[in-house]
Amino acid sequence: QLIATIESLLAPAPPLATVTSQTPRQTIEPVADNSHPFDVEALVLRCMKSLSTVAIILDEFEKQAKVDLPALQQCVAEADAKEVSRIAHAFKGAAGYLSATSLCGIAAELEQMGRSGDLARAAETISMLKRETERCMNYIPQARTLIASMTSS
């Protein structure tokens, strides 16, 4: 029971909507640029207030996004739906851990496109994913400052 409780606390936030082959195509709207791209407080709570774990997640997100985004673009260009689905799934998980709900939703849409084999709108969705990823990356320094202030509180 302890392990189940720990796993439930460490689990990423559920996606905003479960996308299945029966679910009508969702349109993910870009988030206004004046909002924060991820929820620092939710991230800290997800990490059970371990700020060193938060730092690791931020570092890993930065590294992985720099690899996954170009890989996704390449897979879309090559019409490799299976790889689009696989990489988008991993990207969705990383966004979930980061508490980046908009990014998570965009990645989920891309994952579903890959699963269905319908990449007709994938280039447009990749552009949205790229913009939202850039927002997250640009916010990370501010998030680190906010997190540092939590240690002094």
Side-chain angles (χ1 to χ4, degrees):
Q1 188 178 19
L2 177 61
I3 292 174
T5 302
I6 292 170
E7 287 175 345
S8 73
L9 292 172
L10 295 176
L16 296 176
T18 303
V19 180
T20 66
S21 57
Q22 290 80 32
T23 303
R25 182 175 299 267
Q26 295 177 319
T27 302
I28 306 294
E29 296 296 325
V31 175
D33 282 339
N34 60 350
S35 65
H36 299 302
F38 59 92
D39 185 342
V40 174
E41 290 81 11
L43 173 59
V44 170
L45 290 175
R46 176 169 290 114
C47 295
M48 299 180 345
K49 299 184 180 181
S50 169
L51 301 183
S52 62
T53 302
V54 172
I56 290 168
I57 288 174
L58 292 173
D59 291 343
E60 289 302 314
F61 177 80
E62 285 179 306
K63 288 183 216 170
Q64 200 58 44
K66 290 175 184 175
V67 172
D68 285 350
L69 200 53
L72 276 167
Q73 291 172 314
Q74 183 68 32
C75 291
V76 168
E78 294 172 356
D80 188 343
K82 185 175 179 179
E83 274 300 288
V84 167
S85 177
R86 184 188 69 75
I87 297 169
H89 177 78
F91 210 103
K92 179 181 75 175
Y97 273 107
L98 192 63
S99 299
T101 55
S102 181
L103 184 61
C104 191
I106 297 166
E109 184 175 345
L110 194 57
E111 178 186 12
Q112 181 56 32
M113 288 176 189
R115 284 189 180 180
S116 71
D118 180 8
L119 300 179
R121 292 183 48 243
E124 171 189 343
T125 306
I126 289 276
S127 293
M128 290 171 48
L129 187 77
K130 183 178 179 184
R131 281 192 302 274
E132 194 60 21
T133 299
E134 287 171 356
R135 288 185 67 234
C136 288
M137 299 286 263
N138 291 337
Y139 182 63
I140 286 175
Q142 184 179 348
R144 288 186 195 281
T145 301
L146 181 58
I147 291 163
S149 73
M150 291 177 183
T151 60
S152 61
S153 301

